[in-house]
C-alpha cells in the first residue's frame, strides 16, 4: 500500500465530541480557541461549524444548536454542513463537556501528523526536481 492509498490521520469522533462539548458548554470556548483553530479539523463541515461557534462567541452571542444553525443558514452552508439533524448528532456526541481538553489534543495531534506528511511530500517533490541543486533542497529544510 502506498501513501496515496491511505486516509490522512484524523479522528472524526473526537471532532464531533469537541464540537458537542462546545455547544453544551459555551464557557469552555475561549480556552479551546486559544489552542485550536478551524484548520485543525479534518472534516470540512466540522471546520465550518467550529468557525461559526468561535465567531458567535467572539460576538458575545451564545453558540447553541439554534444559533449555529441560523448562522450557517445565513451563510447558505447549513445543508453543506449536514443540516439540523447533523448538528443534533454533534450535541449527542458529547454526553458532557468534561473531556474537551482531551478531544482538542487528539484533533491537534492528528493535524500535526497531516502537516508532517504534507511537509515530507513537499521535500520528496523537491528532491525529485532535477532542476534544483541538491544542496538547495537540503538547505530548504523542507521537513518539519
Amino acid at each position: 500500500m502506498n501513501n496515496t492509498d491511505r486516509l490522512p490521520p484524523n479522528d472524526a469522533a473526537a471532532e464531533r465530541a469537541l464540537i458537542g462539548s462546545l455547544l453544551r458548554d459555551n464557557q469552555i470556548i475561549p480556552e479551546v480557541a486559544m489552542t485550536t483553530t478551524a484548520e485543525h479539523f479534518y472534516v470540512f463541515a466540522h471546520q465550518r461549524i467550529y468557525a461559526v461557534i468561535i465567531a458567535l462567541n467572539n460576538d458575545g452571542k451564545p453558540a447553541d444548536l439554534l444559533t449555529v444553525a441560523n448562522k450557517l443558514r445565513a451563510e447558505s452552508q447549513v445543508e453543506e454542513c449536514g443540516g439540523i439533524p447533523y448538528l443534533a448528532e454533534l450535541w449527542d456526541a458529547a454526553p458532557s463537556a468534561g473531556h474537551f481538553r482531551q478531544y482538542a489534543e487528539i484533533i491537534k495531534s492528528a493535524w500535526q501528523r497531516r502537516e508532517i506528511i504534507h511537509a515530507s511530500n513537499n521535500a520528496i517533490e523537491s528532491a525529485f526536481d532535477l532542476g534544483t541543486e541538491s544542496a538547495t533542497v537540503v538547505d530548504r529544510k523542507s521537513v518539519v
Side-chain angles (χ1 to χ4, degrees):
M1 171 183 284
N2 70 38
N3 289 337
T4 60
D5 295 335
R6 298 183 198 178
L7 188 63
N10 74 88
D11 193 323
E15 292 182 13
R16 288 190 301 272
L18 180 59
I19 292 170
S21 297
L22 297 171
L23 293 171
R24 286 183 177 276
D25 184 356
N26 285 194
Q27 299 300 314
I28 65 174
I29 294 172
E31 181 178 340
V32 173
M34 287 176 22
T35 60
T36 308
T37 67
E39 78 170 345
H40 292 154
F41 289 80
Y42 180 75
V43 177
F44 175 76
H46 297 164
Q47 293 174 359
R48 283 300 312 134
I49 294 165
Y50 179 79
V52 164
I53 290 169
I54 298 303
L56 286 168
N57 185 73
N58 289 344
D59 291 342
K61 298 177 182 172
D64 58 30
L65 293 175
L66 181 61
T67 59
V68 170
N70 283 339
K71 186 154 179 70
L72 287 169
R73 188 177 296 113
E75 297 173 359
S76 300
Q77 292 186 331
V78 71
E79 294 307 318
E80 188 175 317
C81 291
I84 307 297
Y86 188 65
L87 290 173
E89 286 179 34
L90 293 174
W91 173 273
D92 290 337
S96 82
H99 303 290
F100 73 93
R101 288 181 190 92
Q102 289 80 13
Y103 304 145
E105 184 55 39
I106 291 167
I107 293 164
K108 192 164 185 181
S109 177
W111 170 77
Q112 289 170 329
R113 290 177 179 275
R114 291 192 303 273
E115 289 295 299
I116 291 168
I117 291 167
H118 178 72
S120 298
N121 286 336
N122 286 343
I124 290 168
E125 288 302 314
S126 293
F128 274 105
D129 181 2
L130 298 179
T132 304
E133 294 291 325
S134 60
T136 303
V137 173
V138 172
D139 285 343
R140 285 186 188 158
K141 296 180 175 61
S142 301
V143 180
V144 175

